[in-house]
Amino acid sequence: MILDLSLSELEQRVQELGEPKFRAKQLYEAALMLKDLPEISNLPNSFKEKIADEYFSYEIVAHLTSVDGTHKVAIRFSDGSVVESVLLSYKYGRTVCVSTQVGCRMGCKFCASTLNGLQRNLTAGEILLQVLFFNKLLGGSLKERKVTNVVLMGCGEPLDNFENVCKFLRLLTAPEGLNISARNISLSTCGLVPNIYKLADEGFCVTLTISLHAPNDELRKTIMPIANAYKIEEILQACDYYFSKTGRRICFEYSLIDGVNDTDECIKELAKILKGRSCHVNLIPLNSVKEKKLLGVTRKKAYSIAGKLQKLGISATVRRSLGQDIDGACGQLRNRVGGAN
Ligand code: SAH
């Protein structure tokens, strides 16, 4: 589909169809505003007919708004797959949280995205469409972009869909497109080590966020199957490489699970392994997922843990949790068949 293509790829395609090159820019700009083909007034019908099969189609099958202003939409693509995306509004801007896969095969014990396994990878254009949708909803355009930040923290493991995610990052940061700066993009991974190296070598300079959630491999293995494949030490080495290549401080996510990873020993061990690294810890009290038995901690406890980490010399904050009432918070996104509950 057309949103998978960069402007220069679209120019090539348009010429293959026997049309003048300038049509590509017109089409590209209209597509990035998610216009339907009939709405595009500056293109001749003969051209629209030629391109119709390659255009995009999607349907919003649910749109929920939280009391805190968070929006969550369920988007259905032409093959029937449904993914969820979230818009979070903060003082400093508006962040879109995109899904990168339909489902997920990482199997983390606390996460809703993995309940039905992986259905398929999203294409670059399908990931981009989620950002474009919210930009349009906010009344933005290409010149006056309303979305300021993008996080790859929705459903799916971005580094398990490496090529499409890299393509998406190129499209998202393209000056002729939404032109979002890499420093306003965060990519979160449960730690697919070889692909952290590959991402560093791609040279995107996005913020790398590691879902750590445990200070040692034994405990991590009990909640995250990926820990059987890669040791924390290997992840940290890959992070050091990422930092050396990009200069970007690494962020570690640590979801606090009551009685599992929130003990004083755990926190001390966490501080010990991160000591001396240019990094930041984001603490998130675990959000509830109805099928999962694990419980979160109170925000008060999370703040006290942040204080302990800071005393031990580690930069740490508690993440604001938005959109909980619409199951739009971390770990609550899923692929709802047909978009219903
Ligand atoms: N697969 C990627 C992207 C998902 S990002 C990754 O693992 O990083 C979503 C973040 O929310 C991850 O840090 C994930 O571990 C965390 N998370 C998952 N379930 C959660 C839950 N129930 N409560 C809080 N955080 C959760």
Side-chain angles (χ1 to χ4, degrees), residues 11-25:
E11 282 170 348
Q12 203 182 330
R13 181 71 194 123
V14 160
Q15 284 168 302
E16 280 164 15
L17 292 171
E19 295 281 335
K21 192 171 153 187
F22 71 87
R23 294 260 178 255
K25 187 114 199 268

Side-chain angles (χ1 to χ4, degrees), residues 51-63:
I51 204 81
D53 286 348
E54 297 166 48
Y55 209 63
F56 60 86
S57 71
Y58 71 99
E59 199 189 336
I60 301 297
V61 289
H63 185 159

Side-chain angles (χ1 to χ4, degrees), residues 110-111 153-154 156-157 188-190 211 213 253 255 286-287 330-331:
F110 42 80
C111 183
M153 297 191 183
E157 166 50 51
S188 182
T189 175
C190 62
S211 296
H213 306 322
E253 279 168 305
S255 297
L286 193 83
N287 293 308
C330 295

Side-chain angles (χ1 to χ4, degrees), residues 113-290:
S113 302
T114 202
L115 287 168
N116 298 318
L118 175 68
Q119 270 77 62
R120 71 168 173 89
N121 284 328
L122 290 180
T123 70
E126 288 170 335
I127 307 172
L128 183 67
L129 190 145
Q130 302 169 50
V131 184
L132 298 172
F133 172 80
F134 284 117
N135 192 50
K136 189 174 177 182
L137 182 79
L138 291 166
S141 61
L142 281 189
K143 287 201 181 68
E144 223 181 304
R145 181 169 37 76
K146 295 282 175 155
V147 171
T148 55
N149 299 67
V150 173
V151 297
L152 288 79
M153 297 191 183
C155 206
E157 166 50 51
L159 296 187
D160 190 35
N161 182 14
F162 190 80
E163 297 305 328
N164 291 331
V165 161
C166 286
K167 180 97 202 256
F168 160 68
L169 293 175
R170 278 191 285 275
L171 296 174
L172 188 65
T173 53
E176 65 276 15
L178 274 186
N179 194 14
I180 295 198
S181 152
R183 52 184 53 242
N184 291 343
I185 303 172
S186 292
L187 183 149
S188 182
T189 175
C190 62
L192 269 56
V193 168
N195 286 355
I196 295 176
Y197 285 98
K198 271 170 77 181
L199 188 71
D201 291 336
E202 290 281 338
F204 284 119
C205 297
V206 300
T207 301
L208 180 66
T209 297
I210 304 289
S211 296
L212 194 60
H213 306 322
N216 60 62
D217 292 320
E218 286 84 322
L219 180 58
R220 200 163 186 260
K221 280 179 195 169
T222 66
I223 49 176
M224 300 177 73
I226 191 70
N228 294 301
Y230 305 109
K231 294 194 182 72
I232 292 176
E233 186 49 39
E234 293 172 293
I235 296 177
L236 295 178
Q237 276 169 17
C239 288
D240 290 346
Y241 182 74
Y242 193 86
F243 179 70
S244 74
K245 279 279 187 172
T246 63
R248 305 288 293 152
R249 185 171 78 152
I250 310 292
C251 186
F252 291 96
E253 279 168 305
Y254 198 95
S255 297
L256 292 161
I257 311 174
D258 190 34
V260 175
N261 62 0
D262 62 343
T263 60
D264 274 350
E265 296 75 66
C266 281
I267 301 312
K268 279 191 200 128
E269 202 177 351
L270 179 64
K272 196 166 152 209
I273 62 169
L274 297 183
K275 189 91 194 164
R277 292 196 146 83
S278 182
C279 68
H280 178 79
V281 175
N282 230 326
L283 298 165
I284 317 160
L286 193 83
N287 293 308
S288 65
V289 173
K290 67 175 186 292

